[in-house]
């Protein structure tokens, strides 16, 4: 019976944490070959824990099940180890809080043993998570409950403090208060803790909504500035084109004159001069087929093209499944980083290659730029070299989050003083 109970408890615990990652964090399964081997190893360890489950060591074995759940989540979801530590601890504290509330609710109405109550409240938490997901969660942005590291720790500590207070109050009610009055106290404890929990999640949601609006305003302001620069370049190009057209008749008459006189050397020289002027006009902007991407690459590339060898290749469709805001954040961060890297170079040739390609089911941005100095990767992303690390280095994190929502990939590489980044959506 101990083995069966342990197996059910372990399965429900793993499913509980999986549901929390999936529903609240918005994570999706992404198992690599290496992590697949790790997943098989930790599941084997879990099977051994269940097989040798002993009543006198139940607390230690439950802790081992929780530890196994940490590694299972690390293997199932493609997140860096340190980030998984933060996510799992926050999930642990919040789930313990919700489990305590569910346990209190169960004990108000029915009298059950400790083991039965544990299994019942695990099922209740799972039902609560998936009910929320199907009724509300799917309609919300998956980032609505993600928090910065510092605030995430604060919320986790608050949840743990609340759990300790609830446990202390439950102990007092069970040990020092007569049963009829204790029942009333349990009801008030459940209602109060539920209200605090709902308030906590509401505050997190409000914080993220405010941050979302702030980010949208910043992106919109940046986009407006880029579009202003872009349209100024378009107007310049249009003016040059109109001037060229204005003189076109005279130019054609001159060509006809050279042709009639048989002055083919002068004719060839005149044509070369005209084609050079046309080529110069066409080079005054970059065009890959999408107005948003055009706005961004022209905003960043045009001011530095005199001192940097810039190549723009490829074509993409104007209409995209990727939202305009997400497209703006992805491309602007990639291009801005490349531009800043070459502007900081002193002793080597400055080069940037921006290439876009699109098929029926994918969109790829490939960007290469030369660089100077040391740049290291951490968790697959470069570590910012700016002094204020707290407020910098967030751009590619935003890009990775967006790419993850579209089930795409982001890869960075540094080799021979050249930085390369690829985004597939």
């Amino acid at each position: 019976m101990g083995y069966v109970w342990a197996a059910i408890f372990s399965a429900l615990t793993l499913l509980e944490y999986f549901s929390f990652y999936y529903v609240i964090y918005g994570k999706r399964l992404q198992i690599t070959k290496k992590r697949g081997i790790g997943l098989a190893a930790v599941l084997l360890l879990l099977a051994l824990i269940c097989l040798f489950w002993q009543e006198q060591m139940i607390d230690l074995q439950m802790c081992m099940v929780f530890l196994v759940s940490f590694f299972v989540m690390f293997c199932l979801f493609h997140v860096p180890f340190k980030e998984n530590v933060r996510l799992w601890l926050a999930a642990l504290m919040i789930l313990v809080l919700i489990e305590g509330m569910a346990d209190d609710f169960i004990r108000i109405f029915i009298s059950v043993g400790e083991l039965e109550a544990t299994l019942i409240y695990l099922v209740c938490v799972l039902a609560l998570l998936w009910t929320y997901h199907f009724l509300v969660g799917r309609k919300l942005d998956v980032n609505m409950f993600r928090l910065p590291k510092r605030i995430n720790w604060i919320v986790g500590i608050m949840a743990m403090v609340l759990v300790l207070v609830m446990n202390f109050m439950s102990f007092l009610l069970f040990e020092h208060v007569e049963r009829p009055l204790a029942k009333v106290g349990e009801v008030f404890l459940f209602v109060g803790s539920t209200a605090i929990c709902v308030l906590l999640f509401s505050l997190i949601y409000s914080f993220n909504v405010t941050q979302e609006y702030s980010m949208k305003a910043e992106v919109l302001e940046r986009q407006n500035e880029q579009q202003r620069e872009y349209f100024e370049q378009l107007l310049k190009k249009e003016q040059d084109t109109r001037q060229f057209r204005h003189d076109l008749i005279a130019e054609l008459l001159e060509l006809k004159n050279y042709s009639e006189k048989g002055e083919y050397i002068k004719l060839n020289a005149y044509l070369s001069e005209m084609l050079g002027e046309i080529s110069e006009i066409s080079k005054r902007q970059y065009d890959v087929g999408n107005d948003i991407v055009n706005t961004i690459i022209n905003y960043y590339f045009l001011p530095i093209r005199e001192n940097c060898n810039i190549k723009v290749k490829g074509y993409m469709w104007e209409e995209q499944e990727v939202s305009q805001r997400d497209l703006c954040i992805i491309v602007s961060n990639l291009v801005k980083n490349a531009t800043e890297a070459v502007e900081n170079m002193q002793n080597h040739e400055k080069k940037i290659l921006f290439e876009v390609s699109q098929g029926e089911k994918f969109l790829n941005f490939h960007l290469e730029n030369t660089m100077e100095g040391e740049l290291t990767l951490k968790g697959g992303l470069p570590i910012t070299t700016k002094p204020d690390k707290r407020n910098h280095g967030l751009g590619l994190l935003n890009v990775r989050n967006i790419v993850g929502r579209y089930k795409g990939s982001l890869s960075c590489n540094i080799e021979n003083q050249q930085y390369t980044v690829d985004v597939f959506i």
Side-chain angles (χ1 to χ4, degrees):
M1 183 63 186
Y3 171 76
V4 175
W5 183 90
I8 296 173
F9 170 77
S10 301
L12 289 176
T13 300
L14 292 184
L15 188 56
E16 182 185 40
Y17 279 87
F18 171 84
S19 301
F20 196 91
Y21 271 62
Y22 189 96
V23 173
I24 303 301
Y25 291 150
K27 299 295 183 182
R28 296 296 180 263
L29 287 174
Q30 202 171 0
I31 307 174
T32 61
K33 184 177 180 180
K34 183 185 294 186
R35 295 197 182 189
I37 296 173
L39 179 62
V42 293
L43 289 178
L44 177 60
L45 174 61
L46 181 62
L48 292 174
I49 294 171
C50 294
L51 187 62
F52 297 101
W53 196 277
Q54 299 178 19
E55 293 295 328
Q56 62 269 28
M57 298 178 61
I58 190 169
D59 290 336
L60 175 61
Q61 289 165 323
M62 288 177 69
C63 290
M64 293 178 68
V65 171
F66 286 122
L67 186 60
V68 167
S69 73
F70 165 80
F71 287 104
V72 170
M73 296 309 110
F74 175 70
C75 295
L76 289 178
F77 303 101
H78 193 67
V79 292
F81 186 82
K82 287 186 178 179
E83 182 183 353
N84 191 59
V85 171
R86 179 172 59 86
L87 294 177
W88 186 84
L89 286 175
L92 170 67
M93 295 173 187
I94 294 174
L95 286 174
V96 167
L97 172 61
I98 299 174
E99 287 170 0
M101 292 163 48
D103 189 33
D104 289 339
F105 181 77
I106 293 167
R107 293 181 186 278
I108 291 172
F109 296 101
I110 55 176
S111 296
V112 292
E114 191 69 31
L115 298 182
E116 292 82 359
T118 300
L119 297 181
I120 292 173
Y121 70 61
L122 284 173
V123 172
C124 290
V125 172
L126 285 170
L128 181 65
L129 285 171
W130 287 104
T131 300
Y132 161 80
H133 175 68
F134 287 111
L135 295 181
V136 180
R138 290 187 297 177
K139 301 175 184 178
L140 297 179
D141 189 341
V142 294
N143 292 314
M144 283 298 101
F145 292 105
R146 291 182 183 177
L147 293 170
K149 291 181 181 179
R150 179 177 295 182
I151 298 178
N152 196 72
W153 285 113
I154 293 173
V155 170
I157 292 171
M158 289 173 59
M160 186 55 65
V161 170
L162 185 57
V163 168
L164 294 174
V165 171
M166 287 173 58
N167 288 338
F168 178 71
M169 294 299 295
S170 296
F171 171 77
L172 291 179
L173 289 172
F174 277 106
E175 298 294 331
H176 301 286
V177 180
E178 295 182 2
R179 196 64 204 142
L181 188 60
K183 208 74 171 177
V184 176
E186 289 173 7
V187 173
F188 276 103
L189 181 61
F190 170 74
V191 172
S193 57
T194 302
I196 293 173
C197 190
V198 171
L199 179 61
L200 181 63
F201 276 93
S202 299
L203 288 174
I204 295 173
Y205 180 80
S206 299
F207 173 82
N208 278 323
V209 168
T210 304
Q211 291 292 102
E212 181 78 4
Y213 280 124
S214 178
M215 183 178 292
K216 283 183 179 180
E218 183 181 343
V219 170
L220 185 60
E221 183 178 351
R222 186 194 310 168
Q223 205 172 358
N224 288 338
E225 177 64 20
Q226 292 168 351
Q227 287 179 339
R228 184 185 64 80
E229 295 270 346
Y230 176 57
F231 288 128
E232 285 180 357
Q233 294 293 330
L234 283 179
L235 289 173
K236 178 72 169 92
K237 179 183 176 183
E238 178 65 18
Q239 184 179 356
D240 291 342
T241 304
R242 288 171 62 189
Q243 290 175 350
F244 180 82
R245 288 173 179 170
H246 179 268
D247 298 330
L248 186 59
I249 295 177
E251 303 274 5
L252 291 174
L253 289 174
E254 190 67 23
L255 290 173
K256 184 174 182 296
N257 182 47
Y258 284 136
S259 177
E260 288 176 348
K261 292 181 178 181
E263 297 177 347
Y264 297 113
I265 296 177
K266 291 183 179 181
L267 175 63
N268 186 56
Y270 202 90
L271 282 171
S272 297
E273 185 179 349
M274 286 182 64
L275 291 173
E277 186 176 347
I278 295 172
S279 178
E280 184 62 28
I281 293 173
S282 64
K283 289 180 181 178
R284 286 179 183 161
Q285 71 173 25
Y286 302 101
D287 186 0
V288 295
N290 182 278
D291 282 343
I292 291 177
V293 179
N294 288 342
T295 299
I296 295 167
I297 62 178
N298 281 283
Y299 176 79
Y300 285 106
F301 288 164
L302 288 178
I304 65 168
R305 63 178 178 171
E306 299 298 328
N307 301 315
C308 180
N309 181 8
I310 299 175
K311 292 183 180 179
V312 175
K313 296 181 179 180
Y315 187 82
M316 59 185 292
W317 306 326
E318 177 62 34
E319 298 295 328
Q320 295 292 328
E321 292 185 5
V322 183
S323 73
Q324 293 187 359
R325 174 179 173 270
D326 290 343
L327 195 61
C328 180
I329 292 174
I330 291 171
V331 178
S332 62
N333 277 295
L334 299 184
V335 173
K336 182 182 179 183
N337 289 344
T339 304
E340 289 179 348
V342 297
E343 284 180 331
N344 291 329
M345 293 179 63
Q346 302 292 333
N347 303 316
H348 297 86
E349 185 181 1
K350 301 178 180 181
K351 293 182 179 180
I352 293 178
L353 168 63
F354 177 89
E355 187 171 6
V356 58
S357 55
Q358 184 164 17
E360 288 294 330
K361 297 183 178 180
F362 77 92
L363 175 62
N364 169 228
F365 293 106
H366 174 83
L367 200 142
E368 299 176 10
N369 64 269
T370 51
M371 52 170 284
E372 288 180 350
E374 295 295 326
L375 188 64
T376 56
L377 298 177
K378 184 177 181 181
L381 299 180
I383 302 174
T384 180
T385 56
K386 296 177 181 178
D388 186 8
K389 297 185 184 296
R390 182 182 299 176
N391 296 315
H392 292 93
L394 303 176
L396 284 178
L397 286 174
N398 291 333
V399 172
R400 185 166 66 182
N401 289 336
I402 291 171
V403 170
R405 291 208 305 268
Y406 292 96
K407 299 182 180 179
S409 65
L410 167 67
S411 62
C412 304
N413 186 48
I414 304 168
E415 187 175 357
N416 298 326
Q417 296 296 296
Q418 179 166 295
Y419 173 73
T420 304
V421 58
D422 267 292
V423 170
F424 282 92
I425 302 176

